[in-house]
Amino acid sequence: YDDYVNVVSAHAGKDMSGFFAKYAKGTEDFKPQLKECFDWLGLEMREVLTGNLCETHFGYKLVEQADKTFVSHIHPNSPAAFYELVVNDQLIAVNGFAVRSDAHRWINYFGLFPQELTVMRNGQLLTINIKPDGKEYYKHYRLHRIDNPNRNQEKMFEQWRSKQ
């Protein structure tokens, strides 16, 4: 970690340890900083939903291995965390429908209604009833050019793009 901070500081030409303490180790929201940087280039950052309700509205991610589906991530303070879904739980069924390699299809099919998940945890079958809380988790972002960039934004964007 310290080596990384030192390399970034050397390239920035100034001490970046405060930045890393605030954003990498701390809990400060870095989106305002990104917005400021992107604005300089005439870009804006837009939130995009993933299309996977388990990620966006229930707060957990899935990974498929062979024809088994496992919970890979749990967003803190999400319904998945509240209803005690656990990383590495194997998803067996959604509302009684067996899951093979189609878990997202079933979860999306039942939508934003409460869902009954059957999971295998440490060799034991468990039923977890989970419902969304109205918040969004695991947001994705896309960059878009603003409609009418000023001359400085055009210049900065071209300089930035030429370094790619």
Side-chain angles (χ1 to χ4, degrees), residues 99-149:
V99 168
R100 306 269 186 264
S101 57
D102 57 356
H104 290 291
R105 187 183 78 159
W106 285 114
I107 293 162
N108 288 347
Y109 175 79
F110 291 111
L112 296 177
F113 295 100
Q115 297 186 7
E116 180 183 276
L117 305 179
T118 305
V119 300
M120 179 74 72
R121 182 184 301 159
N122 300 323
Q124 189 174 29
L125 273 180
L126 302 171
T127 300
I128 297 175
N129 292 297
I130 186 171
K131 62 181 181 177
D133 62 1
K135 297 177 185 171
E136 293 177 346
Y137 305 92
Y138 293 114
K139 296 179 182 178
H140 290 223
Y141 298 90
R142 288 219 170 98
L143 292 178
H144 296 270
R145 295 286 312 267
I146 63 172
D147 289 334
N148 297 307

Side-chain angles (χ1 to χ4, degrees), residues 41-138:
L41 299 169
L43 299 171
E44 66 180 356
M45 185 172 58
R46 296 182 187 163
E47 288 183 8
V48 179
L49 298 180
T50 66
N52 293 324
L53 293 182
C54 62
E55 293 178 15
T56 306
H57 294 286
F58 293 97
Y60 65 97
K61 290 185 177 187
L62 298 172
V63 63
E64 293 177 0
Q65 298 174 354
D67 26 328
K68 295 180 180 178
T69 303
F70 296 91
V71 175
S72 63
H73 296 83
I74 304 282
H75 196 287
N77 302 316
S78 70
F82 179 79
Y83 292 103
E84 299 181 357
L85 202 58
V86 175
V87 169
N88 294 325
D89 278 351
Q90 181 185 347
L91 188 58
I92 304 297
V94 177
N95 290 346
F97 289 86
V99 168
R100 306 269 186 264
S101 57
D102 57 356
H104 290 291
R105 187 183 78 159
W106 285 114
I107 293 162
N108 288 347
Y109 175 79
F110 291 111
L112 296 177
F113 295 100
Q115 297 186 7
E116 180 183 276
L117 305 179
T118 305
V119 300
M120 179 74 72
R121 182 184 301 159
N122 300 323
Q124 189 174 29
L125 273 180
L126 302 171
T127 300
I128 297 175
N129 292 297
I130 186 171
K131 62 181 181 177
D133 62 1
K135 297 177 185 171
E136 293 177 346
Y137 305 92
Y138 293 114

